[in-house]
Amino acid sequence: MTNGDTPKDVSRRAFIKGVIAGGAAVASANYLFRASTFLGQSPGAGLGERLIALNVNGQQRRVDVMKQETLAWTLRYKLGLTGTKLGCDRAECGSCTVLVDDVPLYSCSILTHTVRNKKILTIEGLAAADGTLHPVQQGIIDEQGFQCAFCMSGFIMSTVGFLKANPNPTRAELAYGISGNLCRCQDYDKILTSMMRGAENMRRGNGVL
Ligand code: FES
Ligand code: FES
């Protein structure tokens, strides 16, 4: 112990270090650097007050969250869920889309603190426990949609969310429903075909077809 730390201070610090080490899967040294200077806030300040629990993909995850931190940042750089992509980071491209209480939202534009009592579903939580793909994911396999696939997880999450409200859309309805997602490869026609196949797969799985 140094600088007058009490045993309680030391054990709390050890606990926090354990949370970060266990939950963070940081992809590169660059991300480590960015995480340490995110919006100018040092990760050392007020850590104890920033520990929250998030319901992600059906699991309670304890995580250290800064007050100005976005959900996309938390998912990718604190919880290691890098299937959620960051494209524009300003609510324009949709690549960061996740479901929050079944509603597709841009995770780059939500503060993590605001979803602490909600159910968050990311692309990693979509397949069944035995590895069986979600019907919408299977639709992409069936139709060979996407080129580079950077935008893919966002499109999938948007489609899954849309189909919860409208499980039997026309092609035009689905196109409109997922129009908040952009594809830099401009593979829109094939993407839409894949998503329509995914909708069909869902209806078949639900015994509607
Ligand atoms: S990264 Fe969130 S909308 Fe583009
Ligand atoms: S397939 Fe490349 S960005 Fe969409």
Side-chain angles (χ1 to χ4, degrees):
M1 282 182 285
T2 58
N3 300 326
D5 281 352
T6 65
K8 191 174 157 203
D9 293 333
V10 174
S11 65
R12 188 173 70 170
R13 199 170 300 143
F15 168 70
I16 291 163
K17 276 174 73 178
V19 169
I20 294 168
V26 180
S28 72
N30 181 44
Y31 290 142
L32 269 175
F33 172 75
R34 291 180 65 195
S36 68
T37 58
F38 180 58
L39 296 182
Q41 183 169 339
S42 159
L47 274 176
E49 294 73 42
R50 301 194 316 234
L51 276 177
I52 64 172
L54 291 178
N55 184 326
V56 183
N57 298 333
Q59 292 185 320
Q60 285 296 118
R61 303 288 303 267
R62 294 272 288 165
V63 62
D64 157 37
V65 171
M66 291 177 277
K67 60 187 174 189
Q68 73 274 46
E69 185 170 316
T70 65
L71 180 58
W73 188 274
T74 305
L75 292 171
R76 287 182 56 82
Y77 305 126
K78 300 287 181 62
L79 298 178
L81 297 171
T82 53
T84 298
K85 303 302 180 194
L86 263 177
C88 64
D89 206 8
R90 50 189 289 180
E92 289 179 356
C93 74
S95 60
C96 63
T97 304
V98 300
L99 299 192
V100 177
D101 282 349
D102 288 341
V103 176
L105 296 175
Y106 294 160
S107 62
C108 72
S109 302
I110 302 169
L111 292 176
T112 306
H113 279 283
T114 65
V115 295
R116 59 202 299 176
N117 296 317
K118 299 178 187 292
K119 289 183 181 161
I120 301 154
L121 183 68
T122 72
I123 190 75
E124 290 89 347
L126 217 47
D130 66 358
T132 304
L133 292 177
H134 184 282
V136 172
Q137 292 174 307
Q138 185 58 47
I140 295 162
I141 306 282
D142 297 341
E143 296 292 342
Q144 297 290 294
F146 295 94
Q147 293 187 40
C148 78
F150 181 86
C151 63
M152 184 169 67
S153 53
F155 268 100
I156 292 172
M157 299 313 292
S158 290
T159 301
V160 170
F162 180 83
L163 293 176
K164 286 178 184 292
N166 181 357
N168 190 15
T170 63
R171 192 173 173 91
E173 286 169 342
L174 184 56
Y176 183 75
I178 60 175
S179 59
N181 290 71
L182 303 179
C183 171
R184 284 179 289 190
C185 300
Q186 301 190 20
D187 199 25
Y188 292 112
D189 193 52
K190 230 162 46 170
I191 291 172
L192 195 50
T193 299
S194 298
M195 298 304 162
M196 286 298 285
R197 174 67 84 96
E200 188 184 319
N201 289 345
M202 276 190 72
R203 292 195 299 277
R204 186 170 292 116
N206 293 334
V208 179
L209 284 181

